[in-house]
């Protein structure tokens, strides 16, 4: 008789330097090689993230997300992404847990806010709203450019640049 053990639940942890290759595999599997051509990648290329989080299940990485330092019109902020979860693990809430870890970290770091490019219906539950007047370094659908204010100051405007 064989007993199939169900996998352990995913655990969200801070990314370590030893996770880089596994994170790259998860992101590549989720988005394909074309993800490097996206506008959002201009804010990440050649830089280290401010922080990253991974979802581990049974010792392997099944999801990842990172925050990057940016400026919007010269004001410091954070940029979230990419969020990647293995295809077989999607719809289990892992992406939401990863986003929640980033938002918690940004609050503790006293960031002014978090910018991302994403699907409004998904991210509105975390408090993200469309931002007006932030200019990405390339083409982005303005309806998908979202901001989560973490302080009482109005959303910044101007060019979005790596910090």
């Amino acid at each position: 008789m064989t007993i199939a053990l169900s996998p352990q639940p995913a655990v969200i942890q801070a990314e370590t330097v030893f996770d880089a290759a596994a994170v790259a595999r998860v992101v590549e599997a989720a988005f394909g090689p074309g993800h490097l051509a996206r506008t959002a990648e201009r804010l990440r290329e050649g830089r280290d993230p401010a922080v990253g989080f991974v979802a581990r299940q049974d010792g392997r990485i099944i999801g990842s997300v990172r925050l990057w330092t940016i400026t919007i019109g010269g004001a410091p902020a954070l940029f979230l992404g990419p969020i990647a979860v293995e295809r077989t693990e999607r719809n289990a809430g892992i992406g939401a847990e990863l986003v929640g870890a980033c938002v918690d970290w940004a609050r503790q770091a006293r960031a002014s806010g978090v910018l991302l490019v994403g699907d409004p219906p998904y991210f509105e539950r975390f408090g993200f709203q469309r931002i007006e007047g932030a200019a990405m370094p390339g083409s982005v659908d303005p309806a998908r450019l979202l901001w989560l204010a973490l302080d009482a100051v109005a959303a910044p405007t101007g060019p979005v640049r790596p910090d």
Side-chain angles (χ1 to χ4, degrees):
M1 177 169 165
T2 303
I3 299 174
L5 299 176
S6 41
Q8 294 294 316
V11 176
I12 307 302
Q13 300 173 326
E15 181 181 335
T16 72
V17 295
F18 304 106
D19 297 330
V23 166
R25 281 192 299 276
V26 170
V27 170
E28 180 80 13
F31 297 104
H35 78 93
L36 296 174
R38 292 185 177 170
T39 295
E41 197 60 35
R42 304 296 70 81
L43 299 173
R44 298 188 279 259
E45 64 189 354
R47 305 177 56 224
D48 291 327
V51 67
F53 292 94
V54 295
R56 290 184 202 278
Q57 186 176 57
D58 296 327
R60 61 187 188 91
I61 292 175
I62 61 167
S64 169
V65 67
R66 291 173 170 163
L67 284 170
W68 309 82
T69 57
I70 59 169
T71 60
I72 304 172
L78 294 167
F79 185 65
L80 189 150
I83 302 167
V85 176
E86 283 189 2
R87 192 170 309 283
T88 58
E89 305 302 327
R90 292 184 189 158
N91 301 316
I94 294 169
E97 288 184 49
L98 289 165
V99 172
C102 283
V103 170
D104 290 346
W105 187 91
R107 279 194 171 96
Q108 289 175 5
R110 299 184 190 270
S112 63
V114 179
L115 183 73
L116 62 78
V117 178
D119 186 31
Y122 181 85
F123 289 102
E124 285 170 351
R125 64 178 143 166
F126 302 102
F128 284 89
Q129 299 176 343
R130 187 170 169 194
I131 183 173
E132 302 289 337
M136 291 287 284
S139 178
V140 170
D141 178 355
R144 295 176 52 81
L145 192 57
L146 307 175
W147 173 253
L148 174 63
L150 298 176
D151 62 18
V153 179
T157 61
V160 179
R161 296 197 169 108
D163 182 28

